[in-house]
Amino acid sequence: MPQSPSTLPVSLDDDWSARRADARRNHEKIITAALEVFAERGLAATVPEVARRAGVGKATVYRSYATKADLIEAVAEYQLRWMEHRIAQALAESDAYPALSALLGDMAERLAGDRVLADVVPESSEELNSNIMTGIEALLVAAREQGGIGPDVTIEDFRVLFGGYTRQLVAMEIRDPAVWRRYSQLVLRAFST
């Protein structure tokens, strides 16, 4: 479940830092509410639902996000930034294989509970997606060099296996995080030496 506005783990857009404190608070409330509502209801959720959950009027939402698509894009970007942040944490670990295992499990669990992340993020910002793939590839290389995964494992292997089970579990409407974590570990076993 997304964190409360005061504890969002990833900073919001820099251009919001210069705005009035009340506008920043509203923005944080809107993003937090949107994370929750879209995670629960998927793209069928409405802006009025987000506004109600945030405790603001829908006009307040529309002042920041002219369309629902703009709001969805903001949520997807937040989720991508979470992934970048989580990958950076994994890369900072000295033992790459356990770091990769924990990362894949965390990503799977987040995907299990969040329809926007599973549905929209793959088509989001090419630059952010590229950063994510670069980070995962660096972790794969480190795990390979340390002997945790096979010498022939590539980022393409990751994309096919991780992306494949993700699409299937979404299509099957399976939301149990334990199931998603299980498949992430099966992928890791396929990579292991």
PDB file of all heavy atoms in Angstrom, residues 31-57:
ATOM      1  N   ILE A  31      -1.280  12.795  -5.175  1.00  0.00           N
ATOM      2  CA  ILE A  31      -0.451  11.691  -5.659  1.00  0.00           C
ATOM      3  C   ILE A  31      -0.640  10.452  -4.785  1.00  0.00           C
ATOM      4  O   ILE A  31      -0.806   9.335  -5.288  1.00  0.00           O
ATOM      5  CB  ILE A  31       1.041  12.088  -5.744  1.00  0.00           C
ATOM      6  CG1 ILE A  31       1.256  13.100  -6.852  1.00  0.00           C
ATOM      7  CG2 ILE A  31       1.931  10.863  -5.957  1.00  0.00           C
ATOM      8  CD1 ILE A  31       0.974  12.579  -8.254  1.00  0.00           C
ATOM      9  N   THR A  32      -0.653  10.633  -3.465  1.00  0.00           N
ATOM     10  CA  THR A  32      -0.852   9.501  -2.568  1.00  0.00           C
ATOM     11  C   THR A  32      -2.210   8.856  -2.806  1.00  0.00           C
ATOM     12  O   THR A  32      -2.318   7.628  -2.898  1.00  0.00           O
ATOM     13  CB  THR A  32      -0.706   9.938  -1.099  1.00  0.00           C
ATOM     14  OG1 THR A  32       0.612  10.450  -0.918  1.00  0.00           O
ATOM     15  CG2 THR A  32      -0.922   8.768  -0.154  1.00  0.00           C
ATOM     16  N   ALA A  33      -3.246   9.685  -2.912  1.00  0.00           N
ATOM     17  CA  ALA A  33      -4.593   9.159  -3.167  1.00  0.00           C
ATOM     18  C   ALA A  33      -4.651   8.454  -4.523  1.00  0.00           C
ATOM     19  O   ALA A  33      -5.246   7.381  -4.646  1.00  0.00           O
ATOM     20  CB  ALA A  33      -5.618  10.291  -3.104  1.00  0.00           C
ATOM     21  N   ALA A  34      -4.031   9.048  -5.531  1.00  0.00           N
ATOM     22  CA  ALA A  34      -4.032   8.441  -6.866  1.00  0.00           C
ATOM     23  C   ALA A  34      -3.305   7.103  -6.846  1.00  0.00           C
ATOM     24  O   ALA A  34      -3.767   6.131  -7.459  1.00  0.00           O
ATOM     25  CB  ALA A  34      -3.398   9.392  -7.881  1.00  0.00           C
ATOM     26  N   LEU A  35      -2.181   7.011  -6.133  1.00  0.00           N
ATOM     27  CA  LEU A  35      -1.468   5.748  -5.995  1.00  0.00           C
ATOM     28  C   LEU A  35      -2.390   4.681  -5.413  1.00  0.00           C
ATOM     29  O   LEU A  35      -2.460   3.558  -5.913  1.00  0.00           O
ATOM     30  CB  LEU A  35      -0.238   5.918  -5.102  1.00  0.00           C
ATOM     31  CG  LEU A  35       0.955   6.630  -5.708  1.00  0.00           C
ATOM     32  CD1 LEU A  35       1.923   7.086  -4.631  1.00  0.00           C
ATOM     33  CD2 LEU A  35       1.661   5.728  -6.704  1.00  0.00           C
ATOM     34  N   GLU A  36      -3.106   5.039  -4.366  1.00  0.00           N
ATOM     35  CA  GLU A  36      -3.998   4.084  -3.701  1.00  0.00           C
ATOM     36  C   GLU A  36      -5.178   3.701  -4.586  1.00  0.00           C
ATOM     37  O   GLU A  36      -5.475   2.514  -4.751  1.00  0.00           O
ATOM     38  CB  GLU A  36      -4.515   4.680  -2.386  1.00  0.00           C
ATOM     39  CG  GLU A  36      -3.445   4.872  -1.338  1.00  0.00           C
ATOM     40  CD  GLU A  36      -3.926   5.676  -0.141  1.00  0.00           C
ATOM     41  OE1 GLU A  36      -5.102   6.115  -0.133  1.00  0.00           O
ATOM     42  OE2 GLU A  36      -3.130   5.855   0.795  1.00  0.00           O
ATOM     43  N   VAL A  37      -5.867   4.704  -5.141  1.00  0.00           N
ATOM     44  CA  VAL A  37      -7.086   4.451  -5.917  1.00  0.00           C
ATOM     45  C   VAL A  37      -6.771   3.674  -7.193  1.00  0.00           C
ATOM     46  O   VAL A  37      -7.454   2.692  -7.520  1.00  0.00           O
ATOM     47  CB  VAL A  37      -7.827   5.772  -6.222  1.00  0.00           C
ATOM     48  CG1 VAL A  37      -8.979   5.557  -7.191  1.00  0.00           C
ATOM     49  CG2 VAL A  37      -8.350   6.395  -4.922  1.00  0.00           C
ATOM     50  N   PHE A  38      -5.748   4.085  -7.930  1.00  0.00           N
ATOM     51  CA  PHE A  38      -5.404   3.369  -9.158  1.00  0.00           C
ATOM     52  C   PHE A  38      -4.874   1.973  -8.844  1.00  0.00           C
ATOM     53  O   PHE A  38      -5.099   1.039  -9.614  1.00  0.00           O
ATOM     54  CB  PHE A  38      -4.410   4.157 -10.009  1.00  0.00           C
ATOM     55  CG  PHE A  38      -5.022   5.360 -10.687  1.00  0.00           C
ATOM     56  CD1 PHE A  38      -4.443   6.612 -10.566  1.00  0.00           C
ATOM     57  CD2 PHE A  38      -6.174   5.239 -11.448  1.00  0.00           C
ATOM     58  CE1 PHE A  38      -4.995   7.715 -11.199  1.00  0.00           C
ATOM     59  CE2 PHE A  38      -6.742   6.337 -12.080  1.00  0.00           C
ATOM     60  CZ  PHE A  38      -6.151   7.581 -11.958  1.00  0.00           C
ATOM     61  N   ALA A  39      -4.157   1.808  -7.721  1.00  0.00           N
ATOM     62  CA  ALA A  39      -3.685   0.478  -7.336  1.00  0.00           C
ATOM     63  C   ALA A  39      -4.873  -0.445  -7.066  1.00  0.00           C
ATOM     64  O   ALA A  39      -4.865  -1.613  -7.454  1.00  0.00           O
ATOM     65  CB  ALA A  39      -2.795   0.559  -6.105  1.00  0.00           C
ATOM     66  N   GLU A  40      -5.893   0.091  -6.415  1.00  0.00           N
ATOM     67  CA  GLU A  40      -7.071  -0.707  -6.062  1.00  0.00           C
ATOM     68  C   GLU A  40      -7.984  -0.965  -7.254  1.00  0.00           C
ATOM     69  O   GLU A  40      -8.480  -2.073  -7.435  1.00  0.00           O
ATOM     70  CB  GLU A  40      -7.883   0.006  -4.981  1.00  0.00           C
ATOM     71  CG  GLU A  40      -7.174   0.111  -3.651  1.00  0.00           C
ATOM     72  CD  GLU A  40      -7.820   1.128  -2.714  1.00  0.00           C
ATOM     73  OE1 GLU A  40      -8.927   1.642  -3.025  1.00  0.00           O
ATOM     74  OE2 GLU A  40      -7.212   1.415  -1.669  1.00  0.00           O
ATOM     75  N   ARG A  41      -8.244   0.080  -8.050  1.00  0.00           N
ATOM     76  CA  ARG A  41      -9.276  -0.011  -9.085  1.00  0.00           C
ATOM     77  C   ARG A  41      -8.743  -0.039 -10.512  1.00  0.00           C
ATOM     78  O   ARG A  41      -9.499  -0.185 -11.454  1.00  0.00           O
ATOM     79  CB  ARG A  41     -10.256   1.158  -8.945  1.00  0.00           C
ATOM     80  CG  ARG A  41     -10.954   1.164  -7.608  1.00  0.00           C
ATOM     81  CD  ARG A  41     -12.352   1.644  -7.552  1.00  0.00           C
ATOM     82  NE  ARG A  41     -12.892   2.422  -8.635  1.00  0.00           N
ATOM     83  CZ  ARG A  41     -13.649   1.925  -9.625  1.00  0.00           C
ATOM     84  NH1 ARG A  41     -13.924   0.648  -9.681  1.00  0.00           N
ATOM     85  NH2 ARG A  41     -14.131   2.720 -10.554  1.00  0.00           N
ATOM     86  N   GLY A  42      -7.456   0.164 -10.659  1.00  0.00           N
ATOM     87  CA  GLY A  42      -6.886   0.196 -11.997  1.00  0.00           C
ATOM     88  C   GLY A  42      -7.281   1.463 -12.726  1.00  0.00           C
ATOM     89  O   GLY A  42      -7.709   2.456 -12.118  1.00  0.00           O
ATOM     90  N   LEU A  43      -7.166   1.417 -14.035  1.00  0.00           N
ATOM     91  CA  LEU A  43      -7.404   2.614 -14.845  1.00  0.00           C
ATOM     92  C   LEU A  43      -8.872   2.989 -14.927  1.00  0.00           C
ATOM     93  O   LEU A  43      -9.214   4.054 -15.438  1.00  0.00           O
ATOM     94  CB  LEU A  43      -6.814   2.419 -16.239  1.00  0.00           C
ATOM     95  CG  LEU A  43      -5.306   2.168 -16.254  1.00  0.00           C
ATOM     96  CD1 LEU A  43      -4.810   1.982 -17.676  1.00  0.00           C
ATOM     97  CD2 LEU A  43      -4.555   3.282 -15.563  1.00  0.00           C
ATOM     98  N   ALA A  44      -9.753   2.146 -14.406  1.00  0.00           N
ATOM     99  CA  ALA A  44     -11.179   2.476 -14.380  1.00  0.00           C
ATOM    100  C   ALA A  44     -11.496   3.508 -13.301  1.00  0.00           C
ATOM    101  O   ALA A  44     -12.561   4.128 -13.317  1.00  0.00           O
ATOM    102  CB  ALA A  44     -12.009   1.216 -14.148  1.00  0.00           C
ATOM    103  N   ALA A  45     -10.582   3.718 -12.372  1.00  0.00           N
ATOM    104  CA  ALA A  45     -10.797   4.712 -11.314  1.00  0.00           C
ATOM    105  C   ALA A  45     -10.972   6.093 -11.937  1.00  0.00           C
ATOM    106  O   ALA A  45     -10.464   6.368 -13.024  1.00  0.00           O
ATOM    107  CB  ALA A  45      -9.610   4.717 -10.357  1.00  0.00           C
ATOM    108  N   THR A  46     -11.690   6.949 -11.240  1.00  0.00           N
ATOM    109  CA  THR A  46     -11.995   8.281 -11.770  1.00  0.00           C
ATOM    110  C   THR A  46     -11.292   9.373 -10.973  1.00  0.00           C
ATOM    111  O   THR A  46     -10.895   9.157  -9.829  1.00  0.00           O
ATOM    112  CB  THR A  46     -13.511   8.539 -11.720  1.00  0.00           C
ATOM    113  OG1 THR A  46     -13.920   8.581 -10.340  1.00  0.00           O
ATOM    114  CG2 THR A  46     -14.289   7.467 -12.477  1.00  0.00           C
ATOM    115  N   VAL A  47     -11.185  10.531 -11.581  1.00  0.00           N
ATOM    116  CA  VAL A  47     -10.593  11.687 -10.902  1.00  0.00           C
ATOM    117  C   VAL A  47     -11.413  12.063  -9.664  1.00  0.00           C
ATOM    118  O   VAL A  47     -10.832  12.347  -8.611  1.00  0.00           O
ATOM    119  CB  VAL A  47     -10.425  12.879 -11.875  1.00  0.00           C
ATOM    120  CG1 VAL A  47     -10.032  14.149 -11.134  1.00  0.00           C
ATOM    121  CG2 VAL A  47      -9.370  12.535 -12.930  1.00  0.00           C
ATOM    122  N   PRO A  48     -12.753  12.074  -9.726  1.00  0.00           N
ATOM    123  CA  PRO A  48     -13.510  12.366  -8.500  1.00  0.00           C
ATOM    124  C   PRO A  48     -13.209  11.394  -7.353  1.00  0.00           C
ATOM    125  O   PRO A  48     -13.156  11.812  -6.192  1.00  0.00           O
ATOM    126  CB  PRO A  48     -14.979  12.264  -8.951  1.00  0.00           C
ATOM    127  CG  PRO A  48     -14.937  12.643 -10.396  1.00  0.00           C
ATOM    128  CD  PRO A  48     -13.649  12.039 -10.900  1.00  0.00           C
ATOM    129  N   GLU A  49     -12.957  10.112  -7.666  1.00  0.00           N
ATOM    130  CA  GLU A  49     -12.579   9.158  -6.616  1.00  0.00           C
ATOM    131  C   GLU A  49     -11.241   9.551  -5.997  1.00  0.00           C
ATOM    132  O   GLU A  49     -11.071   9.481  -4.776  1.00  0.00           O
ATOM    133  CB  GLU A  49     -12.476   7.749  -7.190  1.00  0.00           C
ATOM    134  CG  GLU A  49     -13.789   7.105  -7.542  1.00  0.00           C
ATOM    135  CD  GLU A  49     -13.600   5.763  -8.217  1.00  0.00           C
ATOM    136  OE1 GLU A  49     -13.130   5.736  -9.379  1.00  0.00           O
ATOM    137  OE2 GLU A  49     -13.902   4.743  -7.575  1.00  0.00           O
ATOM    138  N   VAL A  50     -10.308   9.942  -6.839  1.00  0.00           N
ATOM    139  CA  VAL A  50      -9.002  10.374  -6.344  1.00  0.00           C
ATOM    140  C   VAL A  50      -9.163  11.615  -5.478  1.00  0.00           C
ATOM    141  O   VAL A  50      -8.596  11.705  -4.386  1.00  0.00           O
ATOM    142  CB  VAL A  50      -8.015  10.628  -7.508  1.00  0.00           C
ATOM    143  CG1 VAL A  50      -6.726  11.277  -7.009  1.00  0.00           C
ATOM    144  CG2 VAL A  50      -7.718   9.332  -8.267  1.00  0.00           C
ATOM    145  N   ALA A  51      -9.954  12.576  -5.941  1.00  0.00           N
ATOM    146  CA  ALA A  51     -10.173  13.817  -5.183  1.00  0.00           C
ATOM    147  C   ALA A  51     -10.778  13.510  -3.822  1.00  0.00           C
ATOM    148  O   ALA A  51     -10.331  14.054  -2.798  1.00  0.00           O
ATOM    149  CB  ALA A  51     -11.060  14.772  -5.977  1.00  0.00           C
ATOM    150  N   ARG A  52     -11.790  12.644  -3.792  1.00  0.00           N
ATOM    151  CA  ARG A  52     -12.425  12.280  -2.511  1.00  0.00           C
ATOM    152  C   ARG A  52     -11.406  11.653  -1.567  1.00  0.00           C
ATOM    153  O   ARG A  52     -11.342  12.003  -0.387  1.00  0.00           O
ATOM    154  CB  ARG A  52     -13.585  11.307  -2.737  1.00  0.00           C
ATOM    155  CG  ARG A  52     -14.915  11.970  -2.979  1.00  0.00           C
ATOM    156  CD  ARG A  52     -16.079  10.995  -2.895  1.00  0.00           C
ATOM    157  NE  ARG A  52     -15.997   9.877  -3.825  1.00  0.00           N
ATOM    158  CZ  ARG A  52     -16.337   9.932  -5.118  1.00  0.00           C
ATOM    159  NH1 ARG A  52     -16.784  11.058  -5.635  1.00  0.00           N
ATOM    160  NH2 ARG A  52     -16.230   8.868  -5.878  1.00  0.00           N
ATOM    161  N   ARG A  53     -10.614  10.716  -2.084  1.00  0.00           N
ATOM    162  CA  ARG A  53      -9.620  10.051  -1.231  1.00  0.00           C
ATOM    163  C   ARG A  53      -8.585  11.053  -0.725  1.00  0.00           C
ATOM    164  O   ARG A  53      -8.117  10.949   0.404  1.00  0.00           O
ATOM    165  CB  ARG A  53      -8.940   8.933  -2.025  1.00  0.00           C
ATOM    166  CG  ARG A  53      -7.879   8.146  -1.295  1.00  0.00           C
ATOM    167  CD  ARG A  53      -8.415   7.089  -0.335  1.00  0.00           C
ATOM    168  NE  ARG A  53      -9.262   6.114  -0.960  1.00  0.00           N
ATOM    169  CZ  ARG A  53      -8.879   4.913  -1.368  1.00  0.00           C
ATOM    170  NH1 ARG A  53      -7.632   4.520  -1.212  1.00  0.00           N
ATOM    171  NH2 ARG A  53      -9.747   4.093  -1.925  1.00  0.00           N
ATOM    172  N   ALA A  54      -8.254  12.039  -1.553  1.00  0.00           N
ATOM    173  CA  ALA A  54      -7.258  13.045  -1.160  1.00  0.00           C
ATOM    174  C   ALA A  54      -7.838  14.096  -0.216  1.00  0.00           C
ATOM    175  O   ALA A  54      -7.089  14.834   0.418  1.00  0.00           O
ATOM    176  CB  ALA A  54      -6.691  13.731  -2.403  1.00  0.00           C
ATOM    177  N   GLY A  55      -9.173  14.173  -0.165  1.00  0.00           N
ATOM    178  CA  GLY A  55      -9.801  15.194   0.675  1.00  0.00           C
ATOM    179  C   GLY A  55      -9.749  16.576   0.051  1.00  0.00           C
ATOM    180  O   GLY A  55      -9.704  17.580   0.757  1.00  0.00           O
ATOM    181  N   VAL A  56      -9.740  16.617  -1.279  1.00  0.00           N
ATOM    182  CA  VAL A  56      -9.738  17.901  -2.000  1.00  0.00           C
ATOM    183  C   VAL A  56     -10.848  17.857  -3.047  1.00  0.00           C
ATOM    184  O   VAL A  56     -11.379  16.795  -3.358  1.00  0.00           O
ATOM    185  CB  VAL A  56      -8.377  18.172  -2.695  1.00  0.00           C
ATOM    186  CG1 VAL A  56      -7.242  18.209  -1.676  1.00  0.00           C
ATOM    187  CG2 VAL A  56      -8.080  17.138  -3.779  1.00  0.00           C
ATOM    188  N   GLY A  57     -11.180  19.012  -3.583  1.00  0.00           N
ATOM    189  CA  GLY A  57     -12.163  19.066  -4.654  1.00  0.00           C
ATOM    190  C   GLY A  57     -11.545  18.605  -5.965  1.00  0.00           C
ATOM    191  O   GLY A  57     -10.331  18.701  -6.161  1.00  0.00           O
TER     192      GLY A  57
END
